[in-house]
Structures are given as structure tokens and as C-alpha cells.
Amino acid sequence: MIERFPDTADAVMVVDSRQRVVGWNAAAHRLTGLGGGDVLGQHCYEVLDGRSPAGKRLCHVDCSLMKCIRRGSLPENFDLVVRTRHGHNLQVNMSVIAVRQKRRAVTIHLF
């Protein structure tokens, strides 16, 4: 799946239904300082440690985004503060696409 986004300037993270990162592109590496070896197989909420700009934790086990996707809907894009490799906070704007492929669902996070 990630091979479809090799040249995009946007950071791309692909997450499976268990909230594990299964894809991470070069732009995500440049933005966060985290490489594929650091994040692949890890839970997305542990990788990004995402919070609202006001500081409320948004990324966690069974987050509202995953609940939305299971119901068949997607939220509009939203602002998210993520943690970089060096522990700095970085505000991004996140868009999400849900894709079904070969009996499994993945979500593509663009930021």
C-alpha cells in the first residue's frame, strides 16, 4: 500500500485494523525523524502520541477515529499535535482514507 505514495510531499502512515503501523513513507521520516524501522509494527498511538492543540489525548487504544471507521464513516481533516523523534511537539493537519484490500481494512493517514 505505501508503495503507492513514494513521491508525495505529504507524510503517509498506513495503519491496520489492530492499530499497527504497516506503512511509513520518506516524508513521514523527514517530518518526524522516525524511520520505518522505528515505527513499523508499532501501535500508531504510541508512534504519534497524538493530542489536540489544547492537549487532549486523541491517539489511544480504540480511539474515536477507529470507531468512526468501523461504523463506516470518516471524520473531516483535523489538527493533531504529534511527537517527533527528539520529543518535540509538531502540529500537523491529518486527513484519513479508509481502504479495504483483500479482506482487511487499512487506514491511510496523510499529514
Side-chain angles (χ1 to χ4, degrees), residues 18-35:
R18 296 175 302 142
Q19 291 183 267
R20 299 241 180 224
V21 178
V22 295
W24 187 259
N25 76 349
H29 183 183
R30 285 190 300 275
L31 187 66
T32 65
L34 298 166

Side-chain angles (χ1 to χ4, degrees), residues 4-99:
R4 295 182 184 177
F5 301 95
D7 298 325
T8 182
D10 290 330
V12 178
M13 176 178 70
V14 182
V15 177
D16 70 11
S17 60
R18 296 175 302 142
Q19 291 183 267
R20 299 241 180 224
V21 178
V22 295
W24 187 259
N25 76 349
H29 183 183
R30 285 190 300 275
L31 187 66
T32 65
L34 298 166
D38 300 316
V39 302
L40 293 175
Q42 300 298 315
H43 287 108
C44 55
Y45 49 85
E46 294 170 339
V47 170
L48 294 182
D49 191 28
R51 298 174 185 276
S52 72
K56 179 182 177 189
R57 181 176 295 280
L58 298 178
C59 295
H60 52 81
V61 175
D62 203 30
C63 66
S64 60
L65 176 64
M66 294 305 284
K67 289 177 183 176
C68 258
I69 290 166
R70 280 197 296 277
R71 286 192 312 263
S73 61
L74 287 173
E76 293 183 14
N77 65 315
F78 56 96
D79 290 331
L80 186 69
V81 177
V82 300
R83 185 183 59 221
T84 68
R85 171 185 280 292
H86 300 292
H88 299 112
N89 290 332
L90 177 67
Q91 185 167 326
V92 299
N93 187 265
M94 183 75 69
S95 295
V96 180
I97 303 166
V99 177

